[in-house]
Structure formats: structure tokens, C-alpha cells
């Protein structure tokens, strides 16, 4: 029988971005620097001062979203634009920017879906007490979140709290500005995550308190982890990896406590966060309404000997296949490795659409809460042709297979609310600057040359427009 790819009528179709990756205007209209304005000055990255210039061109960008047929847009609010020093005095121009953006979206029939935090801790708080490393960050985040949720609450139904705690733990020095003296202490990353769990739970409580009918959840970077073989040892390693890399985060959001096996492993290895009395009560009070997933690829695990060197995931800095710097190894628990059965993009990220059906089913069975996709896409080198076209069949192929994978999960009974591919337009990649592009809309600049920042529609734009117009029904096997 032919599969029907028509999605439920209420399904929201959109795309995603984050503040420091698109906005630019890093120190304009009262905004002060965030840690990303410092971190992205490093060689190999692109400084965030202009990015895609969305701050100045958001009306033109929203017009393109409307033309694409989007009914939801996932973006993030820059904490340092609202409170330039993290707490204290509010910045009226920053507050107005997000009012204008949200109003423009609403006027065009697009549901605004803001993320409260996407890697961009205000620098003042990093200088004051080392940012998320210090528990004072939780109270300051509450101050910021309370303001933002009350201010925009009447216009915003869906709230996303913190972007990708799991990836922040993996790539802690890239996602947070970590002072030198902490670099030899791997426990710190789990402490940062604990503070974020508290901030997440507080945000959930605030949405429930301040936004009638509001719904809230975290956006987690999530990859299923398969065993390297059917050997029981590999299956056990995969279970260990799923516990520490995935359920360690999501169990807190829905059960209000850390995954037992993962926490026990961290405790035995001196890595567990310091948990204060009452913290898990707060987790339970701040339970999520849904889970948002950022899905790009899947992982594979095998056995790690007790004596193996501990390391976190590496990344491929060159965009030439086969140059992944290394895989996470947790001695005596698991070690990740490249899955030989899957193709990859140029940065060695596996391409695994069935992995998306797999996690949607698994997470729905585990927690019974609605799910949505807040990121999914393929980073690639794109070429602007002399006639202004961009031919990106690899992106169409990737997205088509993943959209079908979502529908397969829906057909199994999973409740999926929305799909936001990454990204609406080209933006600064967190690891590879402007070389690695994700958007439906091409932004005419490179890492070193700002050119004219003009927007061009890629082939994938016209393809996605048809998918949205037909609510998925145009897709066929
Ligand atoms: C996620 C982040 C995004 C985004 C994406 C692609 O981890 O939430 O901010 O950038 O990954 O990753 P990259 O930019 O490194 O290619």
C-alpha cells in the first residue's frame, strides 16, 4: 500500500535559528556582549558581530518565511539584549526588538516559538562569577526568564527553555566560556548542566504560572545510540551510552530525577554534580509539557575498557570526510565509534532518517508527552550560481527522508506537534563558521567577506514551499 504523507491538520511547519547565529548587532541599541561574541573570535570560527544581519532585516526575513508557507518560527532571545548585564536594568530597545519580531510573525500567521537560552550567557555574568559554573546563575536566569515570559506571554503559547544541555556537556568549552583554571576538572560540565536543570525547571514553573494555556519544554540535542554489534557487551555499552548521553537529561525533565545508572557512574568516577536538598523537588514541580528534539545524526557504541582514556566527542574542523577528531570514551562504560553502515555529510555527521522514527517512538513510549522537532538539517557547501540560483539536491534529499520519518512515527501513534528544520536561512555554524550552510535562504557573505548579505532562495526553498502548501501530501515513495 502507498504511504500517505499528509500530516495532521494541526501540524506546525516551520524552521529554526538562534539569536547570536543570525542577528548580528552584537553591541547595538544597548546590547552588550555575550560569551558567544567572545568565543566566536577564535580562528576557524566567524565572529558574531554581523552574522546574517537579521536584526536589521527581520521584516524582509519574515516576508520570506510567509512566502515559504511557515506556520511556526523557532528563534532565540538574546539574554544580553534584554538585560545587557544579565540582571538589573532592562534594555527597552532590546525588549522592543522581540515585540516587533513577534508581532511581525503573528501578523503573517506564524506562531512565534522562542528559546530562552541558546549558548549566549551575558559576558557580565561570566566575568562576575564564571557564568553557569556558579549556582548564582540560576537566580539571575530566573530574573531574566520571569521578565521575558511575563512580557511576551500574552503573545507566545509555546516556550522552549534551554537549547541542547546534552551538547553543552559534550562541547562545554565551545558552548561556554570556561576560565583556564577549570579546564582540567571534568566534573564542572555536569555542574553546569545541574544549574541548567534548575533554570529549566524554574522556567517551566514560570510559564505555567504566567501564561494561561502556555506550554513549555526543553530543546535537547538527541541522537539514538546503537550497539556496534549484537554482542551483549556492545548492547550493554549502547544502553550505558543512552543512559548517560540521553536519558540523563530527559529523565530530569519528565521524572524529576537523574537517571540512576548514569548518575551512579558519574558518582563512582567523581564526576557527579553537587545536588542540594530540594533540587529534585524543584525538578518535579517544573515538569515539561513536551520535549523538543534537535536531531541530526545517530551514534554507535562499543565497549570501553576500564583503563581507557576518558574523552568527550571531537568534531571535524575541516569539512573533509574522515577527519573526525575522536569519539567520546567513558572508561568501563562505553566508547562511541563511526557507524560503518551509514553515509555522512562532509563533516562526518551520519545521515540516519530512520533514527528519527526510532527516537520519536522511544521517547513517546517512555514519557507519553508530545514531541516536536526544533532542529534537523544538513550542513553543506552551497554554491551561488551567476543567475542567483542555488542547487542543493542533497538538502532536499535529507529533509524529505526526515519528514517521511516523522510521518512514520505519527503513523505509529506518536504525537508530533511541529517540525523546524535547521535553519531558516544561512547563519554562523557553531563549529564551522559560514562555510557550512544549512538554510533554505542563502545569505550572500563568507567568513571573511560580508559582501551585500543579500538573500537568495535555494532550490530547497521552492521544494519545502510545496511540502508546506500540501501539508506533506505531495511527498511520495
Ligand atoms: C546544534 C545547535 C545549533 C546549530 C546546529 C548545527 O547543536 O543548537 O545552534 O548550529 O547544531 O551545528 P553546527 O553549527 O556546529 O554545524
Amino acid at each position: 500500500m502507498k504511504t500517505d504523507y499528509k500530516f495532521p491538520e494541526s501540524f506546525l511547519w516551520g524552521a529554526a535559528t538562534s539569536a547570536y547565529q543570525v542577528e548580528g548587532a552584537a553591541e547595538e541599541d544597548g546590547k552588550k556582549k555575550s560569551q558567544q561574541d567572545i568565543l566566536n573570535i577564535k580562528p576557524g570560527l566567524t565572529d558574531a558581530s554581523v552574522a546574517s544581519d537579521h536584526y536589521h532585516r527581520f521584516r524582509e526575513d519574515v516576508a520570506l518565511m510567509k512566502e515559504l508557507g511557515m506556520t511556526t518560527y523557532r528563534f532565540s532571545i538574546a539574554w544580553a539584549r534584554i538585560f545587557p548585564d544579565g540582571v538589573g536594568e532592562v534594555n527597552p530597545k532590546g525588549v522592543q526588538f522581540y515585540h516587533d519580531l513577534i508581532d511581525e510573525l503573528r501578523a503573517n500567521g506564524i506562531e512565534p516559538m522562542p528559546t530562552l537560552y541558546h549558548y549566549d550567557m551575558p559576558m557580565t555574568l561570566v566575568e562576575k562569577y564564571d557564568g553557569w559554573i556558579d549556582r548564582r546563575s540560576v537566580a539571575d536566569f530566573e530574573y531574566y526568564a520571569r521578565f521575558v515570559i511575563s512580557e511576551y506571554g500574552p503573545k507566545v503559547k509555546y516556550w522552549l527553555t534551554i537549547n541542547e544541555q546534552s551538547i553543552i556537556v559534550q562541547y562545554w568549552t565551545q558552548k561556554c566560556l570556561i576560565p583556564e583554571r577549570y579546564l582540567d576538572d571534568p566534573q564542572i560540565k555536569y555542574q553546569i548542566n545541574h544549574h541548567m536543570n534548575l533554570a529549566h525547571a524554574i522556567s517551566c514553573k514560570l510559564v505555567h504560572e504566567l501564561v494561561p494555556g502556555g506550554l513549555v519544554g526543553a530543546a535537547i540535542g538527541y541522537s539514538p545510540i546503537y550497539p556496534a554489534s549484537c554482542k551483549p557487551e556492545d548492547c550493554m555499552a549502547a544502553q550505558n551510552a543512552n543512559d548517560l548521553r540521553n536519558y540523563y537529561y530527559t529523565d530530569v525533565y519528565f521524572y524529576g530525577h537523574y537517571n540512576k545508572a548514569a548518575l551512579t557512574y558519574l558518582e563512582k568516577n567523581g564526576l557527579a554534580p553537587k545536588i542540594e536538598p530540594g533540587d529534585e523537588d524543584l525538578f518535579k514541580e517544573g515538569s515539561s509539557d513536551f520535549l523538543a528534539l534537535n536531531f541530526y545524526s545517530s551514534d554507535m557504541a562499543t565497549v570501553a575498557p576500564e583503563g581507557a582514556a576518558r574523552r568527550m566527542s571531537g568534531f571535524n574542523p575541516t569539512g573533509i570526510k574522515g577527519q573526525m577528531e575522536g569519539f567520546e570514551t567513558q572508561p568501563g562504560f562505553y566508547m562511541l565509534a563511526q557507524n560503518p553502515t551509514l553515509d555522512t555529510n562532509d563533516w562526518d555527521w551520519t545521515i540516519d532518517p530512520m533514527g528519527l522514527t526510532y527516537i520519536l517512538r522511544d521517547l513517546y513510549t517512555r514519557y507519553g508527552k508530545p514531541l516536536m522537532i526544533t532542529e534537523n538539517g544538513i550542513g553543506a557547501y552551497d554554491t551561488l550560481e551567476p543567475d542567483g540560483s542555488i542547487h542543493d539536491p542533497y538538502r532536499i534529499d535529507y529533509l524529505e527522508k526526515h519528514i517521511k520519518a516523522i510521518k512514520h512515527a505519527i503513523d505509529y501513534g506518536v504525537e508530533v506537534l511541529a517540525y523546524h528544520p535547521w535553519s531558516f536561512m544561512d547563519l554562523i555554524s557553531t563549529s564551522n563558521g559560514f562555510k557550512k550552510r544549512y538554510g533554505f535562504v542563502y545569505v550572500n557573505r563568507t567568513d571573511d567577506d560580508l559582501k551585500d548579505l543579500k538573500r537568495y532562495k535555494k532550490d530547497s526553498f521552492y521544494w519545502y514551499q510545496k511540502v508546506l502548501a500540501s501539508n506533506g501530501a505531495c511527498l511520495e515513495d
Side-chain angles (χ1 to χ4, degrees), residues 16-255:
T17 64
S18 92
Y20 87 87
Q21 293 176 276
V22 285
E23 284 179 5
E27 290 182 87
E28 213 175 301
D29 286 346
K31 178 179 175 291
K32 287 195 185 169
K33 283 195 170 90
S34 85
Q35 60 188 7
Q36 290 302 333
D37 295 313
I38 306 295
L39 283 163
N40 279 277
I41 296 169
K42 285 193 192 136
L45 300 176
T46 307
D47 87 82
S49 56
V50 176
S52 310
D53 200 30
H54 177 65
Y55 186 77
H56 297 113
R57 299 172 193 234
F58 75 92
R59 290 189 202 279
E60 177 190 348
D61 293 336
V62 174
L64 284 165
M65 292 176 199
K66 165 88 172 164
E67 188 182 335
L68 187 53
M70 282 166 53
T71 48
T72 172
Y73 173 48
R74 184 226 173 183
F75 59 98
S76 79
I77 295 178
W79 184 348
R81 205 177 283 292
I82 303 292
F83 292 108
D85 291 310
V87 278
E89 222 166 294
V90 72
N91 174 28
K93 286 191 177 162
V95 175
Q96 192 56 44
F97 170 69
Y98 294 108
H99 269 302
D100 292 345
L101 174 63
I102 291 168
D103 291 347
E104 191 74 9
L105 290 167
R106 285 230 163 277
N108 284 284
I110 302 168
E111 188 79 41
M113 222 179 273
T115 309
L116 292 172
Y117 181 81
H118 200 118
Y119 306 150
D120 51 355
M121 173 66 103
M123 261 319 283
T124 310
L125 299 183
V126 178
E127 282 156 4
K128 196 151 122 192
Y129 51 61
D130 302 328
W132 287 107
I133 293 173
D134 192 292
R135 198 175 161 111
R136 277 174 284 176
S137 57
V138 179
D140 287 348
F141 186 84
E142 177 170 4
Y143 183 90
Y144 156 70
R146 181 177 290 281
F147 177 87
V148 166
I149 294 166
S150 349
E151 182 74 20
Y152 306 114
K155 303 174 180 178
V156 171
K157 175 176 178 182
Y158 295 98
W159 290 87
L160 299 159
T161 57
I162 296 186
N163 185 64
E164 294 197 340
Q165 288 178 231
S166 51
I167 302 296
I168 293 170
V169 167
Q170 285 299 317
Y171 299 99
W172 62 312
T173 55
Q174 191 192 73
K175 310 300 180 196
C176 302
L177 207 160
I178 307 290
E180 285 257 354
R181 64 183 183 285
Y182 297 109
L183 293 178
D184 291 333
D185 184 357
Q187 185 270 351
I188 294 292
K189 54 174 95 82
Y190 295 102
Q191 196 61 48
I192 288 174
N193 178 63
H194 185 67
H195 297 153
M196 290 183 166
N197 279 332
L198 297 169
H200 161 84
I202 287 167
S203 310
C204 291
K205 282 182 74 174
L206 285 170
V207 169
H208 294 147
E209 177 191 322
L210 300 169
V211 186
L215 298 170
V216 61
I220 190 83
Y222 202 100
S223 300
I225 300 150
Y226 307 131
S229 78
C230 55
K231 279 201 314 214
E233 291 81 357
D234 282 338
C235 296
M236 198 68 234
Q239 192 179 105
N240 293 339
N242 274 304
D243 279 352
L244 186 55
R245 289 175 61 94
N246 289 332
Y247 303 137
Y248 182 71
Y249 304 93
T250 52
D251 282 359
V252 169
Y253 301 150
F254 294 102
Y255 297 153

Side-chain angles (χ1 to χ4, degrees), residues 22 52-54 57-58 60-61 64 425 441-444 452-457:
V22 285
S52 310
D53 200 30
H54 177 65
R57 299 172 193 234
F58 75 92
E60 177 190 348
D61 293 336
L64 284 165
M425 66 180 118
V441 175
Y442 186 94
V443 176
N444 192 30
D452 57 7
L453 292 153
K454 203 172 151 198
R455 278 71 168 130
Y456 293 91
K457 293 169 222 166

Side-chain angles (χ1 to χ4, degrees), residues 283-303:
F283 294 166
K284 290 189 179 69
E285 289 163 23
S287 188
S288 303
D289 300 306
F290 60 81
L291 180 65
L293 300 168
N294 296 351
F295 175 79
Y296 291 89
S297 58
S298 58
D299 289 313
M300 189 188 81
T302 185
V303 177

